[in-house]
Amino acid sequence: MAVILDGKAFAAIVKEKTKDEVARLGLTPSLAVVIVGDDPASRVYVNGKKKDCAECGIRSEEFTLAADVGQEKLLSLVEELNNRDDINGILVQLPLPKGYDEQAVIAAINPNKDVDAFHMENIGRIMDGNFTFAPCTPYGVMRLLEHHGIDPAGKHCVVVGRSNIVGKPMAMLMLHKHATVSIAHSRTPDLGAMTRQADILVAAVGKPNLITADMVKPGAVVIDVAINRGDDGKLCGDVDYAPVAEVASYITPVPGGVGPMTRAILMENTVIAAKKAAGKF
Ligand code: NDP
């Protein structure tokens, strides 16, 4: 039976340390959270991030815009936040409603305030390995592995999913830690043949039960990044959890695995942004 990689418990430790650092620095880091429209999932995420900020001694300021506010007004808000000295981090909750150019919005954020690390400049630094802002979800995974003494060096890591925010940066961070990395996606012909090779399997797709027990090598470490709503209305990942837990050596639960780690790294990034602004980084 696999050991559970308890992201919720470790994220609480990371946030506690972040709170201590904030107190020690004597700074009040600040995060602007921009939400466009009233998507219920986005609202849950934004509320969660505001709660994390409060726990860590970070000031959060929410900007709620109507779904039809338009690209131009959104961009001018980003510009205003870029220019405000009392705002260290800017987070625009994605996905934006239909009709918005997300890439243009991300590109408009000052890279020094881009605590999600989505801006091209920060993505380039992630490729290079010498980054200031970590990609929150992939780095959360790496920290959770490290906390449990799991070293990717020399292992075969298979990442399922190739998005710019999860799959690709995940593969890069694994590569920086000397894993041999494969990336699978919707055009991978025989997904099971690929995933069965994985010592570390990262699922980041968004399809419940995509990864079944027969697709997992016995003893593999299984990381489930996805957050889906199952037919029963409950949160679930991409991994058929109970049968896979019988085969794997370690596994992340959903909820309580990668999600809380993502949020904890966002808090760390916001403190880094504040330190940079104060010349303390
Ligand atoms: P995207 O939809 O951007 O990417 C999904 C990826 O999965 C694509 O690369 C796609 O391939 C691939 N894919 C789709 N179907 C299959 C298939 N049948 N077999 C193999 N690969 C497939 O999603 P994100 O990367 O943004 O998010 C992935 C999941 O992670 C979602 O459930 C999301 O909610 C969750 N998430 C969780 C976070 C957390 O904190 N835990 C943070 C961010 C996301 P192709 O490129 O060919 O289309």
Side-chain angles (χ1 to χ4, degrees):
M1 192 65 183
V3 172
I4 293 171
L5 297 170
D6 187 342
K8 194 175 172 196
F10 184 47
I13 295 171
V14 172
K15 283 193 288 182
E16 195 61 38
K17 283 193 177 154
T18 304
K19 180 183 157 199
D20 291 347
E21 190 186 7
V22 166
R24 200 173 54 246
L25 287 166
L27 295 172
T28 307
S30 58
L31 177 67
V33 183
V34 180
I35 177 167
V36 184
D38 52 8
D39 175 56
S42 291
R43 170 49 57 198
V44 170
Y45 290 133
V46 163
N47 288 348
K49 287 164 188 174
K50 283 164 63 183
K51 185 168 159 274
D52 292 331
C53 284
E55 281 171 28
C56 294
I58 294 170
R59 187 178 67 81
S60 66
E61 210 172 310
E62 182 182 320
F63 298 84
T64 309
L65 303 179
D68 62 357
V69 69
Q71 179 90 4
E72 218 172 288
K73 287 223 170 88
L74 176 57
L75 286 175
S76 55
L77 172 62
V78 169
E79 192 52 34
E80 182 193 321
L81 297 172
N82 281 341
N83 292 328
R84 271 180 57 179
D85 289 340
D86 62 337
I87 295 289
N88 301 126
I90 302 171
L91 180 152
V92 178
Q93 185 64 41
L94 302 180
L96 292 170
K98 277 204 176 64
Y100 287 86
D101 180 349
E102 284 188 358
Q103 285 310 317
V105 174
I106 291 167
I109 297 172
N110 178 341
N112 291 320
K113 297 189 178 190
D114 170 41
V115 284
D116 263 334
F118 290 166
H119 191 284
M120 281 303 158
E121 190 176 315
N122 289 318
I123 290 174
R125 291 183 199 280
I126 292 161
M127 291 282 290
D128 175 61
N130 186 20
F131 50 81
T132 306
F133 296 128
C136 297
T137 300
Y139 192 63
V141 170
M142 300 310 283
R143 291 277 293 275
L144 190 57
L145 292 177
E146 186 189 33
H147 178 65
H148 287 268
I150 301 165
D151 181 3
K155 308 251 170 57
H156 186 186
C157 174
V158 176
V159 180
V160 189
R162 57 172 166 178
S163 71
N164 286 338
I165 63 167
V166 187
K168 286 179 197 163
M170 185 75 254
M172 275 304 136
L173 297 195
M174 286 287 179
L175 197 59
H176 296 324
K177 287 291 176 190
H178 315 296
T180 301
V181 181
S182 301
I183 307 177
H185 46 79
S186 68
R187 310 283 185 95
T188 301
D190 184 349
L191 185 62
M194 175 68 82
T195 58
R196 272 189 292 277
Q197 294 177 39
D199 303 308
I200 301 176
L201 176 60
V202 182
V205 173
K207 290 203 159 89
N209 298 328
L210 178 72
I211 307 293
T212 48
D214 61 309
M215 295 168 75
V216 177
K217 177 158 98 175
V221 175
V222 178
I223 305 292
D224 196 350
V225 173
I227 303 173
N228 306 309
R229 213 33 93 183
D231 291 337
D232 56 2
K234 288 190 182 150
L235 286 185
C236 65
D238 288 341
V239 174
D240 189 10
Y241 184 83
V244 171
E246 296 286 335
V247 180
S249 57
Y250 292 88
I251 191 166
T252 57
V254 179
V258 177
M261 290 304 303
T262 300
R263 286 165 45 184
I265 303 300
L266 176 70
M267 296 299 107
E268 287 191 340
N269 280 352
T270 306
V271 174
I272 289 169
K275 280 162 73 176
K276 272 188 85 136
K280 293 186 176 182
F281 186 76

